[in-house]
Amino acid sequence: MLPEFLDRLFYLVGEAVVLLALFVLLLSIFVALLILYSFKTGNFFAARIMLLGTTLLESVIKSLFWIAGADDAVVDDVGVRLRNYINRREFIKTPREQRFIFMPQCVRSTECPAKLTPEGIKCVNCGRCNVGEAKRYAESLGCRFFIVPGSSFIKRIIKKYRPRAIVGVGCSMEIKEGLDLCHSYAIPAQGVPLSKAGCVATTLDWEQFYEVISENK
Ligand code: SF4
């Protein structure tokens, strides 16, 4: 038989665990409702608190979506839009000439003749895909344009050139990781999600891409 004080201690710990679990559940439901609201309206309420909640409680919130039979990709989608929203004001203050653009290699044509170099894959604007025109336009604005050959590339370029702002194209997961990476270097970044993700011949909303890279204060 346990001494009375241990009995009491276990009881208090058990009570605290139940209360904490209840608190996490209620908070997750609250953040999940905020995510749904943002997804439907495009507005963000208490954006920074929402981002913190989404980051800390992501797996619980996704489970709630799953239980409710909703698509949990909404959580990633809103997470990216939320980060873009928070970064936007600083991003548009940065002159276009100091913006770096990172395009994933999967957007290229499968017959792309571009060669790999230490500065990424060098597009020769052969006309087989939209990347060539995007590069030409971005460089006409003064931006630096990179086609990313692998996951460590962006970090290496950030360390080498210290860009003032970044636009990254990718799937939700890549954008989330990229935006977190930029946040750790205090670089305001904007993510443009692929509209069709995958390993090859992916696509994106080019209008949205051009709008983001050319946005100015
Ligand atoms: S336009 Fe550039 S990226 Fe696209 S296929 Fe040609 S060389 Fe490759």
Side-chain angles (χ1 to χ4, degrees), residues 108-109 112-114 123-129 131-132 147:
R108 296 176 302 151
S109 158
C112 176
C123 170
V124 291
N125 204 353
C126 72
R128 290 188 176 98
C129 75
V131 175
I147 301 175

Side-chain angles (χ1 to χ4, degrees), residues 18-216:
V18 171
L19 282 176
L20 184 66
L22 199 63
F23 174 73
V24 168
L25 181 64
L26 289 175
L27 192 60
S28 303
I29 292 172
F30 177 67
V31 177
L33 290 173
L34 282 180
I35 288 172
L36 277 177
Y37 167 78
S38 305
F39 184 71
K40 290 220 177 303
T41 64
N43 297 323
F44 296 102
F45 175 72
R48 285 183 191 276
I49 295 172
M50 200 172 143
L51 180 61
L52 185 67
T54 312
T55 309
L56 294 178
L57 303 169
E58 184 179 340
S59 49
V60 186
I61 295 168
K62 282 190 170 175
S63 303
L64 288 173
F65 270 72
W66 182 78
I67 290 166
D71 185 358
D72 66 5
V74 169
V75 181
D76 293 330
D77 178 82
V78 171
V80 168
R81 283 200 267 150
L82 189 56
R83 285 170 170 82
N84 283 346
Y85 173 80
I86 291 170
N87 292 340
R88 189 169 171 272
R89 198 187 319 170
E90 285 305 310
F91 175 84
I92 61 176
K93 275 196 221 162
T94 314
R96 289 165 174 158
E97 310 80 56
Q98 289 168 352
R99 295 177 187 172
F100 280 35
I101 294 159
F102 294 101
M103 184 67 65
Q105 59 160 329
C106 57
V107 180
R108 296 176 302 151
S109 158
T110 49
E111 286 158 27
C112 176
K115 299 270 184 305
L116 178 63
T117 76
E119 298 282 288
I121 295 167
K122 276 282 162 246
C123 170
V124 291
N125 204 353
C126 72
R128 290 188 176 98
C129 75
N130 291 317
V131 175
E133 177 54 24
K135 178 176 185 288
R136 193 203 58 73
Y137 180 71
E139 289 176 346
S140 76
L141 295 176
C143 308
R144 295 282 308 269
F145 188 98
F146 298 91
I147 301 175
V148 180
S151 55
S152 60
F153 179 79
I154 298 178
K155 196 169 186 177
R156 184 163 62 75
I157 295 294
I158 289 178
K159 281 186 177 168
K160 186 172 177 186
Y161 294 112
R162 298 278 164 183
R164 293 269 313 278
I166 285 177
V167 177
V169 177
C171 65
S172 294
M173 192 51 69
E174 287 168 333
I175 290 183
K176 251 166 56 180
E177 286 174 7
L179 292 175
D180 288 343
L181 176 72
C182 293
H183 181 70
S184 70
Y185 284 93
I187 300 169
Q190 296 288 289
V192 179
L194 292 167
S195 48
K196 180 183 151 245
C199 296
V200 288
T202 56
T203 52
L204 65 137
D205 180 344
W206 288 101
E207 294 245 328
Q208 184 193 3
F209 171 77
Y210 287 123
E211 205 177 298
V212 171
I213 65 169
S214 54
E215 222 177 358
N216 235 346

